[in-house]
Amino acid sequence: MPLDDLALIFQRCIDRLIRLLRLGPPPAPRDRRLLIVQIDGLPASVLEQALADGRMPFLRRLLHAGRFRVQPMSVGLPSSTPTFQMAAMYGVRPDIPGFHYHDKRRRSDVYFPRGGDAAVVERAQAVGRAGILAGGSAYGCVFTGGAANNLFSFTMIKRPSGRGLLRAGSAFVVLGWVVGKGLLLSSVEMVRALLRLIADPVQETTRGWRWLVLKLVISVWIREFFTLAVARDLYAGVPAVYVNYLDYDVFAHSYGPRHRRALRALRRIDRSIHDLWRVLRRVPEHQYDLYVLSDHGQTDCVSYQSLTGGRSLERVLLDDFFDQARAAETPALPRGRRIAARIDAFRTHRAPGLFQRFLNYLPRDFLSALVETPEARQRHGVRVVTAGPNAFVYFLDVEQPLTIEEIAKRFPGSPEDISRSRGVGFLLARSADGPVCVWRGKRYRMGELGAGPFAGRADVDLVAEGIQDLMQMPSAGDLVLYGNGTADGDVSFIPELGAHAGPAADELHAFVMHPAGVKLPDPLRHPIQLYGHFIRYQQQEKPAAA
């Protein structure tokens, strides 16, 4: 019997003892309960490859036995976790254009890893909506979905709730087991790394130790803790659980979506899903339905800085395309914006006097680190935010989004010139007649995309649909840039080797693996369609049968 099973059996005994001593009532009878396992960032095409190559033997066994089916799903634009989870958890078309963006109405950036930003977005956009995880648990998610217990979510970080000495002891079993197993696995990985270093010191030194740190933190400690914590919830009959395994996404960003280290992470995730499946078989009275899904895919990319000699997109745009000398007219800035412009003048060494002389002795990005969020720059009321293979340009003197015609009046020819610059695949903007795509200096309407940047794509209608949704978001930039499909391949505007948020086929197409007896909407063109299915578990309605 695997050692994990022994720990879970011990956990189940404690749970039964809690009920025996009446420290808590047994779970209320329900038709079905819900367990969602998200494999962050896994494209449908890589899932197929992993199943065929035997890298995910347990999931392949479930599929071959006819117990589960895989259904393709388009995730829309942007193809990113916050947008997916807001739509699937609350059933709304979110105003989340990227992982990092600027809200001109609030006059501040939204950067999801920063504490509090996800909570603000969730409160504003999910107001009045029932979440699919009410009374349940969320692990590693951006939003809570209404869950009572949340761990390592961007919205809040707190341990699963519970009262009483025995419940505290139950949590201690989970934590103690994870610590013990984590230390053992970490020791094994470090010994392996040392042996590899001895066998091939040049190669090991060249590739560095970043991969080892990622593996220990993400694939050992966090994944093991998530698995044991979810198992504890399943034994207790928690009505809905959503766990997001981050391993693959983290390694794919660092090394590429088909790199061997990213693919190895899938084998470890497959083992964790197998562990949870064994728990489900031990508590059949809880009637859990298991769903395994991905929130988006990823595509191989090169970094923008590698094409420009180290210059960031923010600096290229502000220096070469939106310099004030190029402007046809300079809109007057409100007083608060004038103050910000003066701060920017100091940072760019354009301010006279003694104060500027002092600033000249500071590191180049010292002041930026104090007033800026990562990958964001601002000058003369123009703010540029890069978020991956996507970037946003905002003109801050006007709260409402500008049209491409209005932008062209301020900076003549700038949209077309930017679209022709190296490292930029295409550019999106609004117009009086709807969204416009600028590719290689030419403007295309949504019905013309198949003759332009997406020629030959069988899913051009899904791409057009995603662009329509994206450009209807008030927080999407006045200009939206993508690095997809350049002459140098797919480009990310931040340093990474795997990217998502754009419309590349591997980014856009994900999957849902579901019980064979359950019927999901078909086709799945947007994650908002999942909400109507998952909320039935909260409403105690039987999910649609196949």
Side-chain angles (χ1 to χ4, degrees):
M1 177 181 295
L3 291 178
D4 282 349
D5 284 4
L6 293 176
L8 295 175
I9 290 172
F10 187 29
Q11 165 61 43
R12 188 180 187 188
C13 292
I14 292 179
D15 180 68
R16 288 180 173 177
L17 183 58
I18 290 171
R19 298 183 193 179
L20 181 64
L21 297 178
R22 299 182 183 277
L23 293 180
R30 300 172 64 95
D31 290 333
R32 307 295 300 178
R33 288 180 169 82
L34 176 65
L35 171 60
I36 301 174
V37 176
Q38 177 178 308
I39 306 177
D40 203 302
L42 179 60
S45 60
V46 176
L47 172 70
E48 293 175 4
Q49 175 187 341
L51 292 172
D53 294 346
R55 295 184 181 272
M56 306 188 82
F58 174 67
L59 291 187
R60 184 171 68 173
R61 190 157 66 246
L62 287 181
L63 292 170
H64 285 179
R67 295 180 176 181
F68 284 78
R69 297 174 182 170
V70 175
Q71 184 167 335
M73 171 177 59
S74 172
V75 298
L77 289 179
S79 46
S80 68
T81 303
T83 310
F84 176 91
Q85 290 188 354
M86 178 61 70
M89 288 179 171
Y90 290 104
V92 298
R93 296 267 179 180
D95 178 18
I96 304 176
F99 204 72
H100 182 190
Y101 61 94
H102 184 77
D103 187 337
K104 291 206 288 187
R105 295 158 298 179
R106 293 177 56 235
R107 300 185 179 183
S108 65
D109 280 10
V110 174
Y111 181 56
F112 281 102
R114 184 170 57 193
D117 282 19
V120 170
V121 172
E122 186 169 24
R123 283 195 300 269
Q125 301 195 27
V127 60
R129 300 287 299 180
I132 63 172
L133 302 178
S137 299
Y139 298 94
C141 297
V142 175
F143 302 115
T144 70
N149 302 322
N150 306 276
L151 189 68
F152 294 148
S153 74
F154 287 170
T155 303
M156 61 183 67
I157 298 178
K158 61 181 180 180
R159 64 176 180 271
S161 62
R163 294 172 294 181
L165 181 60
L166 284 178
R167 287 183 182 174
S170 175
F172 179 77
V173 170
V174 174
L175 182 60
W177 181 256
V178 171
V179 169
K181 186 176 181 182
L183 288 173
L184 176 62
L185 293 177
S186 297
S187 300
V188 171
E189 292 298 333
M190 293 181 72
V191 169
R192 288 177 176 174
L194 182 59
L195 293 176
R196 284 193 295 264
L197 180 62
I198 294 173
D200 190 355
V202 175
Q203 178 66 22
E204 289 300 309
T205 304
T206 301
R207 71 181 183 179
W209 296 92
R210 174 183 171 87
W211 67 273
L212 180 59
V213 174
L214 290 175
K215 187 171 183 179
L216 292 179
V217 174
I218 302 295
S219 281
V220 173
W221 288 94
I222 292 180
R223 180 178 52 82
E224 289 294 333
F225 187 82
F226 282 3
T227 302
L228 268 294
V230 170
R232 178 175 180 259
D233 286 341
L234 299 180
Y235 277 127
V238 171
V241 182
Y242 195 127
V243 57
N244 181 21
Y245 285 119
L246 306 166
D247 313 33
Y248 174 80
D249 185 71
V250 170
F251 280 93
H253 275 297
S254 298
Y255 300 104
R258 285 179 169 80
H259 192 276
R260 64 181 183 277
R261 295 195 187 110
L263 297 177
R264 284 173 187 166
L266 294 178
R267 182 62 177 263
R268 296 187 287 270
I269 294 172
D270 185 75
R271 285 199 295 264
S272 291
I273 297 174
H274 193 183
D275 289 340
L276 297 179
W277 178 257
R278 286 200 295 262
V279 176
L280 295 182
R281 294 186 65 182
R282 295 192 185 100
V283 287
E285 67 273 16
H286 293 339
Q287 300 188 81
Y288 277 101
D289 285 336
L290 169 65
Y291 296 83
V292 180
L293 55 80
S294 176
D295 54 339
H296 56 78
Q298 287 207 43
T299 184
D300 288 295
C301 66
V302 297
S303 70
Y304 181 82
Q305 289 86 344
S306 69
L307 306 177
T308 59
R311 295 180 73 198
S312 68
L313 178 70
E314 309 97 89
R315 296 193 181 279
V316 168
L317 291 178
L318 292 175
D319 292 346
D320 299 350
F321 297 99
F322 297 116
D323 185 79
Q324 205 63 16
R326 278 194 61 169
E329 56 180 296
T330 304
L333 295 177
R335 181 175 181 275
R337 307 288 176 82
R338 292 200 301 271
I339 294 173
R342 289 169 186 165
I343 293 175
D344 188 72
F346 291 135
R347 180 179 61 78
T348 54
H349 304 281
R350 293 178 287 103
L354 182 63
F355 187 53
Q356 181 64 71
R357 292 187 181 184
F358 166 74
L359 290 175
N360 289 340
Y361 287 96
L362 296 178
R364 179 176 182 180
D365 288 329
F366 176 82
L367 194 58
S368 294
L370 296 180
V371 299
E372 299 278 8
T373 48
E375 289 87 37
R377 294 290 182 271
Q378 181 176 324
R379 188 186 303 164
H380 296 306
V382 180
R383 186 166 185 81
V384 181
V385 178
T386 54
N390 54 339
F392 308 101
V393 178
Y394 300 90
F395 298 92
L396 303 180
D397 60 295
V398 179
E399 186 172 290
Q400 298 301 318
L402 293 178
T403 65
I404 192 170
E405 293 82 8
E406 293 169 322
I407 296 170
K409 287 180 181 178
R410 298 183 178 208
F411 296 92
S414 58
E416 288 75 15
D417 291 344
I418 293 171
S419 73
R420 284 190 291 260
S421 65
R422 187 176 185 185
V424 175
F426 60 90
L427 177 152
L428 302 175
R430 301 170 180 83
S431 74
D433 300 325
V436 175
C437 177
V438 186
W439 179 61
R440 298 180 181 177
K442 183 178 178 181
R443 300 183 185 184
Y444 293 84
R445 302 293 179 183
M446 291 301 96
E448 302 169 333
L449 295 179
F454 304 104
R457 286 275 296 265
D459 61 349
V460 66
D461 59 327
L462 288 173
V463 175
E465 198 175 297
I467 291 175
Q468 292 273 9
D469 288 343
L470 176 66
M471 300 312 291
Q472 287 176 4
M473 299 180 187
S475 297
D478 299 306
L479 295 175
V480 179
L481 282 64
Y482 274 103
N484 296 93
T486 76
D488 300 290
D490 289 337
V491 173
S492 177
F493 302 127
I494 63 176
E496 56 185 356
L497 295 179
H500 60 86
D506 274 346
E507 298 173 271
L508 200 60
H509 295 288
F511 65 91
V512 182
M513 181 174 168
H514 61 86
V518 167
K519 181 177 177 58
L520 290 174
D522 190 16
L524 278 172
R525 300 176 67 90
H526 192 279
I528 196 172
Q529 295 172 268
L530 295 176
Y531 176 79
H533 181 82
F534 289 149
I535 198 64
R536 291 177 179 269
Y537 289 88
Q538 289 290 331
Q539 298 168 345
Q540 289 299 285
E541 297 179 18
K542 187 176 181 181

